[in-house]
């Protein structure tokens, strides 16, 4: 099971969108995917229509180890074959205190996911994180083999990229974890016909100057279609806008290659 | 081990429930215990909660507020005798954090903290200098 975390320290940079479309892309290619909603805003759980009742085990119990069987925390996404989720609700906020006081906050999620690995054969685990450098975000990064960072093609996105890459480096410097940057997704690239907005162009230049060229995904074009697809819990292909999901084709292929090379090891 | 996760899940699921949580994430009942399942205990617990209608609160933290904000707050409190100052702040914070503006709160708070640090340093330097002069 290859674990990928979507993280970006500012709000609205596309973390949840990335996990949503990447997850659906991977299952459409026949993989078994588990997504983890580490954000108490629980957007991902809502998008995938998995709303836990107040007394159902969710991500909070998963992190705290408060379950009989790890299976209790894993829910199938209805009508999407081979997509599963560990959903969250507002209650997940408490996990920040729990992780802070547990002493091993950074590796907590990783340890819990090892339990999943032992019992189930998921090909990929995709983790959505909240938009702050909180304990939840850190444990999400700590659990991952690779991180993907979506950032808006705006100055805010560039600043956010710097902060996020810094945070990842600091966590890696702890030597407790070792996660690698897989990809940066330029989010909401504003195109007018064939032209890019001036701000977008500048931001893209800044983004590319900060990472190795092969880490940069094709931009995710600004459009209302993704939101439409998300609102109906379907894919862009379902509404005939498949060409928009090109960045996810590229990312999914990169992941498949990584998965294969991991199996060889 | 079969490869079918649906199979595996349905075999392994238990019917364990967890202590229910409120909208803001805190447990609804203060001390949920698995032993409270017997009807007698349940009834007793229910009666207790009917009587008391307890609200769980977090540990108190004393807060220092900027004078202007405190004045604004006092003004509101003067006109609304039906609230207490802490429930009022609680509600204000809750509204702010669940509103669209929540991203800008952090920025504002950061700049306030920066300013405050500067001003407290200044004050300390002032007091120190004053003390030095006084001791002379
Ligand atoms: N291609 C697109 N063009 C324009 N808007 C988009 C596009 N894709 C997604 N969006 C919208 O951008 C908004 C922010 O995206 P998203 O929720 O994924 O960000 P996030 O980083 O998860 O936010 P948060 O930090 O609050 O968790 C959403 O409303 C989403 O519908
Ligand atoms: Mg999100």
């Amino acid at each position: 099971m290859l674990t990928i975390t979507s993280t970006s320290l500012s709000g609205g940079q596309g973390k949840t969108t990335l996990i949503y479309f990447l997850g659906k892309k991977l299952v459409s290619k026949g993989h078994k995917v588990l997504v983890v909603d580490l954000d108490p805003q629980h957007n991902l759980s809502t998008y995938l229509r998995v709303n836990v009742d107040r007394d159902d085990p969710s991500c909070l119990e998963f992190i705290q180890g408060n379950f009989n069987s790890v299976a209790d925390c894993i829910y199938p996404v209805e009508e999407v074959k081979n997509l599963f989720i560990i959903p969250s609700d507002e209650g997940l906020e408490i996990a920040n205190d729990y992780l802070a006081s547990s002493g091993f906050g950074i590796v907590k999620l990783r340890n819990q996911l090892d339990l999943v690995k032992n019992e189930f054969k998921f090909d990929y685990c995709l983790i959505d994180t909240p938009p702050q450098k909180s304990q939840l975000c850190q444990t999400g990064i700590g659990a991952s083999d690779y991180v993907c960072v979506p950032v808006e093609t705006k100055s805010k996105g560039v600043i956010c990229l710097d902060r996020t890459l810094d945070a990842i480096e600091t966590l890696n410097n702890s030597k407790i974890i070792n996660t690698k940057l897989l990809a940066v997704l330029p989010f909401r690239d504003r195109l007018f016909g064939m032209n890019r907005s001036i701000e977008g162009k500048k931001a893209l230049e800044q983004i590319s100057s900060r990472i190795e060229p092969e880490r940069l995904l094709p931009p995710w074009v600004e459009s209302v279609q993704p939101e439409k697809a998300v609102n109906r819990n379907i894919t862009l292909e379902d509404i005939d806008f498949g060409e928009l999901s090109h960045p996810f084709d590229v990312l999914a292929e990169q992941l498949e290659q990584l998965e294969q090379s991991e199996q060889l090891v | 081990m079969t490869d079918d996760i649906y199979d595996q899940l349905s075999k392994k699921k238990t019917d364990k429930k967890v202590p229910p949580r409120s909208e803001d994430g805190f447990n609804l009942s203060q001390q949920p215990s698995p032993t409270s399942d017997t009807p007698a205990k349940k009834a007793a617990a229910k009666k207790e909660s009917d009587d008391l209608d307890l609200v769980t609160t977090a540990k108190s933290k004393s807060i220092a507020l900027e004078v202007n904000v405190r004045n604004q707050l006092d003004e509101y409190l003067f006109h609304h005798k039906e609230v207490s100052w802490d429930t009022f702040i609680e509600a204000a914070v809750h509204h702010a954090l669940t509103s669209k503006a929540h991203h800008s709160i952090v920025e504002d708070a950061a700049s306030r903290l920066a300013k405050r640090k500067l001003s407290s340093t200044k004050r300390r330097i002032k007091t120190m200098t004053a003390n030095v002069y006084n001791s002379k």
Side-chain angles (χ1 to χ4, degrees):
Chain A
M1 183 173 85
L2 202 61
T3 305
I4 297 98
T5 294
S6 172
T7 191
S8 191
L9 292 180
S10 299
Q13 302 294 305
K15 296 175 284 292
T16 308
T17 306
L18 187 151
I19 297 292
Y20 177 93
F21 286 106
L22 179 61
K24 293 217 165 175
K25 179 65 68 178
L26 287 168
V27 294
S28 79
K29 298 181 99 181
H31 302 292
K32 293 174 185 138
V33 179
L34 173 67
V35 297
V36 180
D37 190 352
L38 263 195
D39 188 349
Q41 296 180 86
H42 58 82
N43 290 332
L44 187 62
S45 310
T46 310
Y47 293 165
L48 295 174
R49 309 290 189 270
V50 179
N51 301 312
V52 280
D53 269 335
R54 290 180 184 180
D55 54 357
D56 284 332
S58 64
C59 198
L60 175 66
E61 287 73 28
F62 179 68
I63 288 174
Q64 294 178 331
N66 186 8
F67 46 76
N68 280 352
S69 156
V70 69
D72 294 347
C73 308
I74 303 175
Y75 299 74
V77 174
E78 264 175 47
E79 290 173 32
V80 187
K81 191 159 182 287
N82 286 332
L83 186 59
F84 300 82
I85 182 171
I86 299 181
S88 83
D89 64 351
E90 313 254 344
L92 183 58
E93 200 68 63
I94 307 175
N96 278 316
D97 292 339
Y98 172 78
L99 290 167
S101 57
S102 77
F104 292 98
I106 312 185
V107 289
K108 190 74 205 175
L109 183 64
R110 157 160 302 194
N111 294 343
Q112 295 307 87
L113 284 173
D114 280 344
L115 304 174
V116 175
K117 252 190 213 178
N118 293 340
E119 293 194 34
F120 302 100
K121 278 193 175 163
F122 289 106
D123 301 310
Y124 299 98
C125 172
L126 310 181
I127 303 173
D128 186 23
T129 58
Q132 320 85 13
K133 212 186 313 176
S134 58
Q135 293 284 327
L136 277 167
C137 175
Q138 295 185 30
T139 202
I141 295 173
S144 64
D145 301 307
Y146 293 94
V147 286
C148 293
V149 183
V151 288
E152 277 182 301
T153 52
K154 282 179 165 192
S155 51
K156 179 183 172 187
V158 180
I159 296 169
C160 175
L161 178 62
D162 282 340
R163 291 176 57 226
T164 309
L165 294 180
D166 261 3
I168 296 169
E169 195 184 327
T170 311
L171 288 176
N172 275 339
N173 283 344
S174 72
K175 299 274 191 285
I176 304 171
I177 64 161
N178 180 24
T179 183
K180 294 176 223 50
L181 177 69
L182 176 64
V184 172
L185 174 68
F187 182 64
R188 299 180 71 163
D189 186 25
R190 263 150 285 243
L191 292 180
F192 303 102
M194 296 302 277
N195 296 318
R196 182 165 278 140
S197 73
I198 295 173
E199 210 211 341
K201 203 171 159 205
K202 281 194 187 148
L204 255 183
E205 278 168 18
Q206 291 293 320
I207 292 169
S208 7
S209 73
R210 280 160 170 76
I211 52 173
E212 286 163 15
E214 62 273 23
R215 300 279 77 89
L216 188 67
L217 287 173
W220 174 240
V221 178
E222 164 113 347
S223 152
V224 294
Q225 303 306 331
E227 196 164 356
K228 281 190 190 161
V230 166
N231 285 341
R232 294 169 56 195
N233 191 13
I234 55 179
T235 63
L236 288 163
E237 286 75 9
D238 293 332
I239 51 174
D240 289 333
F241 282 93
E243 77 276 5
L244 284 177
S245 74
H246 177 58
F248 295 104
D249 290 324
V250 176
L251 187 53
E253 259 165 45
Q254 289 183 2
L255 286 174
E256 284 172 331
Q257 279 170 13
L258 283 171
E259 237 267 320
Q260 276 169 10
S261 57
E262 194 183 59
Q263 278 175 359
L264 291 179
V265 178
Chain B
M1 163 157 123
T2 79
D3 263 12
D4 192 80
I5 295 178
Y6 292 94
D7 262 4
Q8 295 173 2
L9 273 179
S10 59
K11 275 190 205 125
K12 287 180 178 158
K13 281 242 188 226
T14 71
D15 52 8
K16 184 172 173 210
K17 292 283 175 180
V18 296
R21 291 182 297 267
S22 62
E23 292 290 346
D24 56 4
F26 290 93
N27 288 340
L28 284 174
S29 55
Q30 209 165 6
Q31 229 114 48
S33 74
T35 51
S36 70
D37 277 344
T38 67
K41 277 194 180 167
K42 254 190 191 163
K46 185 169 184 317
K47 179 155 191 323
E48 194 178 303
S49 66
D50 283 352
D51 286 351
L52 284 170
D53 201 9
L54 278 179
V55 173
T56 317
T57 56
K59 255 182 273 169
S60 67
K61 277 188 186 158
S62 55
I63 44 174
L65 295 175
E66 187 200 323
V67 178
N68 284 337
V69 175
R70 181 71 224 203
N71 288 345
Q72 271 176 317
L73 185 61
D74 285 344
E75 173 90 30
Y76 268 101
L77 293 176
F78 179 77
H79 293 293
H80 296 278
K81 304 289 186 211
E82 71 278 22
V83 305
S84 68
W85 80 278
D86 55 335
T87 56
F88 187 79
I89 291 186
E90 195 176 274
V93 170
H94 177 74
H95 276 284
L97 293 185
T98 49
S99 81
K100 280 238 151 67
H102 74 275
H103 291 312
S104 61
I105 293 178
V106 175
E107 283 161 33
D108 187 24
S111 85
R112 279 167 185 272
L113 180 59
K115 273 190 211 151
R116 185 176 291 188
K117 277 185 181 156
L118 277 181
S119 70
S120 61
T121 326
K122 239 192 224 155
R123 204 168 340 117
R124 209 165 335 141
I125 295 169
K126 261 192 200 156
T127 1
M128 275 166 61
T129 1
N131 285 343
V132 171
Y133 285 126
N134 287 343
S135 66
K136 272 189 181 168

